[in-house]
Amino acid sequence: MLSRPLRYRWTLLRLWWQSLWDAQLRQHRVRSQDLRWIAQATHPWQLFARCWQRYASRPCLSEPGGPGLTYGELWERVELRARQLTVAPGEPVALSGHGDVAWVVNDLALLRRGAISVPLAPGLSREERQHILAESGVQSILGEPGGEPLGPPGDEPGPAAAPLPESLFSVVYTTGSTGHPKGVMLTHQRWDLTLRDAFQFPRLPRLSLNYLPLAHMAGRINLYLTMLLGGVTTLVRPGEEDLIAAMAACEPTNMVLVPRLSGWLLGRFQRA
């Protein structure tokens, strides 16, 4: 029986071989010249802007039962939302929702405007929610009707200036299992270093299936690393049967699993 490292290498080799003839995988092939050009960006927003330009016609995001978005279409939506936002650079803004296409557009538009995103995890109690909003200084919430800081589209923002490395990109709160949720402050420098991990990954087509809440960093990182590699992400809400259907439909090459779900999937396949 092959050892775990050899099984991993064998899996990568099979995926590379399949990408030579499979149309969907071939569409998302990772080219060294693309990554070199994207990596020349000097800050996170520029990384995304370059990947959207490079991969403009490729599928980028999809949701079960809904139309997908190409990288170019996502770029247009983000730029429009950035023009609608009535927030100032450095202003904290909450993000509500589990994590659909609209959530991604809002998150990237806040980055475009230099605001600080404060994701609100699904399932927060009223007390936890009030604690987060008060502590972070949030005055407006994206993703909830009536509280969104939106106006008529203004002038197109100029080129995004490089933020100070130590300035805040996002404040992400813990689940509160040991008391009140605690805010973790993430700087632009930390986010930039995290995103650049994508360039160290095996250069294989990346078809991601994401069911994790984007309010937590595991799902968020997986989504944006897939973008930088020119892959496509299918966003699904948590639900075991919905996840099985989505796996069959999109045939992912990449998923981030949590222990409970890993055990459930193993048991299901063993019983099949």
Side-chain angles (χ1 to χ4, degrees):
M1 184 176 180
L2 293 176
S3 65
R4 183 173 297 178
L6 286 178
R7 290 202 304 271
Y8 176 68
R9 292 181 182 180
W10 174 243
T11 300
L12 294 182
L13 180 61
R14 288 178 58 192
L15 181 57
W16 172 81
W17 176 254
Q18 188 178 357
S19 71
L20 298 179
W21 54 266
D22 183 281
Q24 185 179 21
L25 291 176
R26 195 165 59 244
Q27 186 178 24
H28 293 282
R29 289 178 66 182
V30 181
R31 298 183 301 180
S32 296
Q33 60 267 36
D34 293 337
L35 296 186
R36 283 195 297 268
W37 185 73
I38 293 170
Q40 292 172 11
T42 58
H43 53 88
W45 170 256
Q46 198 176 76
L47 280 172
F48 289 122
R50 285 189 169 219
C51 84
W52 293 334
Q53 293 169 36
R54 203 67 162 189
Y55 308 134
S57 61
R58 290 189 184 190
C60 178
L61 291 175
S62 67
E63 294 174 301
L69 288 181
T70 66
Y71 281 82
E73 290 167 340
L74 177 62
W75 166 276
E76 292 174 356
R77 288 200 188 187
V78 170
E79 286 287 350
L80 175 60
R81 179 48 56 100
R83 291 167 53 198
Q84 294 173 323
L85 285 172
T86 57
V87 298
E91 178 180 340
V93 180
L95 273 173
S96 181
H98 177 270
D100 52 11
V101 169
W103 194 102
V104 177
V105 170
N106 285 333
D107 189 33
L108 292 168
L110 289 174
L111 178 65
R112 175 72 168 98
R113 293 299 297 264
I116 303 169
S117 60
V118 184
L120 300 175
L124 287 172
S125 68
R126 180 183 180 87
E127 181 184 5
E128 290 170 335
R129 180 186 172 97
Q130 289 176 340
H131 166 75
I132 291 173
L133 297 178
E135 184 178 75
S136 62
V138 163
Q139 299 297 319
S140 54
I141 303 175
L142 277 172
E144 293 187 359
E148 296 191 304
L150 301 174
D155 295 334
E156 184 173 348
L164 294 174
E166 65 275 14
S167 62
L168 287 182
F169 143 73
S170 187
V171 179
V172 179
Y173 277 81
T174 62
T175 55
S177 57
T178 58
H180 280 306
K182 299 172 181 64
V184 179
M185 297 184 292
L186 301 176
T187 65
H188 281 91
Q189 182 181 48
R190 178 69 264 172
W191 188 223
D192 185 77
L193 291 172
T194 299
L195 292 171
R196 290 179 188 276
D197 284 345
F199 306 132
Q200 309 303 320
F201 284 17
R203 297 184 178 183
L204 294 169
R206 195 171 172 95
L207 313 181
S208 290
L209 180 61
N210 191 76
Y211 66 94
L212 296 173
L214 295 180
H216 297 302
M217 289 307 294
R220 205 174 183 187
I221 290 172
N222 187 48
L223 165 69
Y224 292 135
L225 293 187
T226 297
M227 280 190 191
L228 293 180
L229 292 170
V232 59
T233 298
T234 299
L235 301 168
V236 296
R237 291 186 175 275
E240 293 170 345
E241 295 304 322
D242 293 337
L243 180 60
I244 292 294
M247 290 174 66
C250 73
E251 299 182 339
T253 64
N254 173 72
M255 284 180 64
V256 176
L257 297 175
V258 295
R260 183 191 64 80
L261 187 59
S262 298
W264 181 83
L265 285 173
L266 178 61
R268 182 180 178 106
F269 286 120
Q270 286 175 337
R271 293 190 301 270

